[in-house]
Amino acid sequence: MREHDALENNPQVSLKALEALHGQLFGWALSRCGYDEAVAEDLMQQAYVEVLSGRARFDNKSTLKTFVFGIVQNLARSQFRQMAVRLRLIRTYTFPGGDQHSCTDHADHSEQQLIWKAVESLPQRQRDITELVFCRDMTIEEASKVMGITVGTGRVHYDRAKKSLADALAELRQKESNL
Amino acid sequence: MSDNDIREVVKDAHGAVQRPEPPAFDRVWSAAESQHLIERRRYATFSGIAAALAMVAIVAGLWSSQEAGMSDDYLIADSLLNTTQWSAPSDALMPTHEFDIYQEIPFLMESTDLEEGTLL
């Protein structure tokens, strides 16, 4: 099936479908590069180049969302790894002592921010699968595909993340009830 | 706490966290298109240069083999048939000389003395 706004080198991908995913993809790109807007935009641009050139080809084996999220994940893993390390180093020396990992304003410790902080304190893969499944409405299978891991491994990370979050939330509730 | 509860709580927390607005799709897409165009042009340029270099290498190879061919000694059948002498174009082509003791030793010996009726 070829749509009228399908891409030349990726006939299964339509521009409108990509545009619909743009906001979510930006959120995912942000979390891939330490919430740096400029790097996230570069990452998305590079992902679109991959789709445009046909180097990444969509063959309807997964959803388009899984496909583009996977491209961003792979690009972030390969090209932006060194950049992220450099950015982290710059931030460490430019703003010493500050938690620069998130764009959240930690001066205001509302409950929701504390919960999100608990998510961010999870190990990388647990954090990724939590974000993909809970916040991006993906199934564990889709999330595992994006992360480039097997479904079994994905389930293990998901279960561990859930347990850690349940503990963290219980602890938060406990603190609230004590206050 | 059930799975759904955790999901709802985390989703709410994710939604509540302030995040920057995504850049306009058109802007990112057009930047991607121009980058793609630049990459294609660069690829075409490199391919052109590589093809030109390959052509130069082939032409140079052919020319040098022609040069070498002109200096080669060819055997001309007529002149070879009209003479009783022939020398190989190059010693390198000649087989290694092996001494034949039965054929060559009698001629090399200069003795004319007979030994029991046989020339040594």
Side-chain angles (χ1 to χ4, degrees), chain A residues 80-151:
Chain A
F80 287 84
R81 186 179 281 163
Q82 287 184 339
M83 196 187 283
V85 170
R86 274 186 223 125
L87 278 170
R88 217 168 289 145
L89 279 172
I90 290 166
R91 282 174 184 167
T92 309
Y93 289 107
T94 317
F95 312 104
D99 182 4
Q100 305 298 324
H101 188 69
S102 162
C103 62
T104 55
D105 178 10
H106 292 299
D108 176 20
H109 290 285
S110 71
E111 189 192 312
Q112 285 175 327
Q113 282 173 338
L114 288 172
I115 292 167
W116 189 248
K117 209 174 175 183
V119 173
E120 285 188 331
S121 67
L122 291 172
Q124 180 75 48
R125 284 190 168 177
Q126 291 181 28
R127 193 167 69 221
D128 289 351
I129 205 152
T130 304
E131 186 176 341
L132 289 169
V133 175
F134 288 167
C135 313
R136 312 264 171 224
D137 297 321
M138 281 189 179
T139 61
I140 298 173
E141 287 78 12
E142 287 172 332
S144 306
K145 215 167 196 176
V146 169
M147 291 165 65
I149 55 176
T150 61
V151 182

Side-chain angles (χ1 to χ4, degrees), chain B residues 48-112:
Chain B
I49 291 168
L53 285 174
M55 284 295 287
V56 167
I58 290 166
V59 169
L62 285 173
W63 183 73
S64 64
S65 69
Q66 267 185 344
E67 286 274 299
M70 283 162 73
S71 64
D72 279 349
D73 292 326
Y74 289 100
L75 298 176
I76 296 152
D78 286 342
S79 62
L80 200 62
L81 291 171
N82 292 337
T83 181
T84 53
Q85 283 194 333
W86 178 80
S87 60
S90 161
D91 285 346
L93 296 174
M94 294 295 286
T96 316
H97 179 72
E98 286 177 12
F99 199 81
D100 185 345
I101 193 166
Y102 297 107
Q103 295 295 321
E104 297 182 35
I105 281 245
F107 296 103
L108 291 171
M109 302 292 274
E110 289 188 355
S111 171
T112 51

